[in-house]
Amino acid sequence: MATKTSRKHSLADAALIPLDWTEERSGLVGYTKWFLFRKVPHDISWAQTLGAASLTAFIVQATTGVFLAMYYKPDPSNAYSSIQNITEELTLGWLVRGMHKWGASVFIILMFLHMARVFLFGAYKYPRELNWILGALILVSGMAEGFTGYLLPWDNTAYWATVVGININATGPFVGPFLAQFLQGGLMIGPDTLPKFYALHMLVLPGAIMALIGLHLYLVVRLGVTSPPWSKTAAGRERGPEAGAREGLIREPATEGDSA
Ligand code: HEM
């Protein structure tokens, strides 16, 4: 009969063997450990979790969006009824749709809060300017996600909100009228507009956002997280003369008997 200790060992083996197998062939376990256990300043706070919160909101949007796409019909004669079917007939359809709809606002709000934190902490300055630019592109793509998604229920609110949005775009200098015509898929909003918005909403924009988030996180890991402005221990901000002397940056005051 197996003892308690030997059962424990075989359980540990069951977990470790697949991990060792994967590590030997890909090095992925090592990379994941390096990514998760990297150093961050000791005085960071909840404010620095807003980026991860934005990422969580995006993952919720992507996941609920996949389920909605399984039942949504992107053509003008069926779009509205397919949305009604999702909300009223499908098991937990109301919940998935509600999470996607309200989650969209949460995503945008979290991105703005994260951006405000980065701005107030001065974390956009050298060497993180490129990450700020990537963030700004993510923000614009996120707002475009909201705009294209709003039309999909194909009801009166969706239609008129899109008319207003497209008209605002049309007033832009030089490219405005072309952009408006491209978005409408013709001279006015019609049957071609809906599939175009759907393709942008569930393929082009999420793909772009995922790629941009990948680059954004690569730079976060490469450059590290900025300490808060009030940090006493951030690089270059530490410390009285003792600390400098300890590290050989400042010469100790000369004592009697020193020759140089
Ligand atoms: C989906 C949207 C976004 C995700 C998932 C995301 C994710 C993250 C994460 C996880 C961090 C590290 C931890 C933290 O500071 O919170 C970070 C840092 C940063 N983010 Fe974002 N971010 C997003 C949008 C933005 C936006 C809109 C901007 C600004 C326009 C931005 C600019 C930055 C900068 C400059 C840093 C470095 C901050 C530092 O070193 O302290 N991000 N981001």
Side-chain angles (χ1 to χ4, degrees), residues 30-41 55 127-128 131 134 212-226:
Y31 279 122
T32 314
K33 268 194 193 156
W34 170 79
F35 175 74
L36 291 178
F37 296 102
R38 65 191 195 282
K39 287 201 164 110
V40 292
L55 180 61
R128 297 185 177 79
N131 222 11
L134 286 172
L212 288 168
I213 289 181
L215 287 173
H216 192 67
L217 294 185
Y218 164 73
L219 285 187
V220 168
V221 173
R222 186 183 156 84
L223 302 172
V225 174
T226 314

Side-chain angles (χ1 to χ4, degrees), residues 38 47-52 54-55 58 107 111 114-115 117-118 123-124 128 131-136 138-139 209 213 216-217 220 224-227:
R38 65 191 195 282
Q48 274 99 338
T49 61
L50 288 164
S54 312
L55 180 61
F58 177 72
F107 177 48
M111 271 198 290
H114 169 57
M115 192 170 134
R117 188 302 277 172
V118 169
Y124 55 85
R128 297 185 177 79
N131 222 11
W132 175 268
I133 293 170
L134 286 172
I138 301 176
L139 184 71
I209 293 178
I213 289 181
H216 192 67
L217 294 185
V220 168
V225 174
T226 314
S227 288

Side-chain angles (χ1 to χ4, degrees), residues 165-197:
I166 289 183
N167 285 345
I168 292 174
N169 275 290
T171 59
F174 309 112
V175 289
F178 299 103
L179 187 59
Q181 193 167 336
F182 165 77
L183 286 172
Q184 282 167 180
L187 288 175
M188 53 193 290
I189 295 182
D192 290 340
T193 318
L194 188 59
K196 183 166 270 187
F197 269 49

